[in-house]
Amino acid sequence: MIAKTLQDMFKRYRRPGDVVFALAFLVFAVFLLTQLGEQTKVVKRTKWFAQPGFWPMVSLWAMAIFAFLHWLSSAMSDRIPGRWPEVAFWFRSLEYVVYFLVYVAVVPLLGYLPSTVLFAVFLAVRTGFRSPGAIGLAAAFGIAVTVIFRAFLQVKIPAGAAYEYLPESVRAFALTYL
């Protein structure tokens, strides 16, 4: 469909949750601007455009200005119902952040291998993959990740407190590779 007027061509429709997103982005940009003075230094005898904080300042001011314009245009646009269901949908994704934080807290207790396998299987079941093959594949993925990171890449991950209860010969292997 071809727009009949210039106003029709540039008509903006506010999507559900747009104002909330724009306001959150604006608050985040202003917060980053307030932290700029403490996070960057001014170097003496350096040109103003070569200062370490110059380009972060430019980008944050641009971010704040465009966030304000986004909020303003969202607030002035016609509202489409469904803002709060959209915001609730965004917050549902924080569930996986909580899962990851629990995983990070459990690794020092159980160890990297058991925690990773349990986490992979739990996420597979949580996302709807409940067949024995899918659960087995998730467990195999957890084992593969552990072997790659600990044995091949030599990533130093703290051993679990549960490894202290293993027999001495198994414990030395578990502390090194699992």
Side-chain angles (χ1 to χ4, degrees):
M1 177 177 156
I2 299 175
K4 297 183 182 192
T5 66
L6 197 58
Q7 285 87 6
D8 290 339
M9 188 170 15
F10 289 104
K11 180 88 172 133
R12 186 182 190 290
Y13 296 99
R14 178 170 57 177
R15 301 285 173 234
D18 201 17
V19 170
V20 176
F21 175 78
L23 188 60
F25 203 75
L26 177 60
V27 167
F28 182 63
V30 170
F31 168 74
L32 289 177
L33 270 173
T34 63
Q35 301 304 305
L36 194 60
E38 296 177 18
Q39 299 298 322
T40 59
K41 304 291 181 213
V42 176
V43 179
K44 293 180 181 175
R45 288 184 261 152
T46 302
K47 295 182 181 177
W48 62 272
F49 57 85
Q51 291 289 333
F54 176 72
W55 291 110
M57 179 186 61
V58 169
S59 63
L60 289 176
W61 271 107
M63 181 177 162
I65 290 168
F66 286 115
F68 175 75
L69 292 174
H70 180 200
W71 172 78
L72 187 63
S73 67
S74 295
M76 296 176 76
S77 298
D78 295 334
R79 182 175 184 264
I80 296 174
R83 173 188 317 165
W84 294 116
E86 180 73 17
V87 172
F89 180 74
W90 296 343
F91 280 115
R92 282 198 338 231
S93 65
L94 294 178
E95 165 190 6
Y96 292 94
V97 173
V98 171
Y99 294 154
F100 181 72
L101 292 174
V102 169
Y103 168 72
V104 168
V106 167
V107 167
L109 301 174
L110 293 180
Y112 188 52
L113 176 65
S115 300
T116 304
V117 171
L118 286 172
F119 187 65
V121 169
F122 171 74
L123 284 181
V125 171
R126 173 62 187 94
T127 54
F129 297 100
R130 293 180 173 93
S131 70
I135 292 173
L137 192 60
F141 174 78
I143 292 168
V145 165
T146 302
V147 169
I148 289 170
F149 274 81
R150 288 292 298 255
F152 295 127
L153 298 177
Q154 296 292 318
V155 175
K156 304 296 182 215
I157 298 169
Y163 290 175
E164 297 295 325
Y165 300 107
L166 295 173
E168 188 63 36
S169 58
V170 177
R171 187 168 78 86
F173 176 78
L175 288 172
T176 305
Y177 298 107
L178 305 178

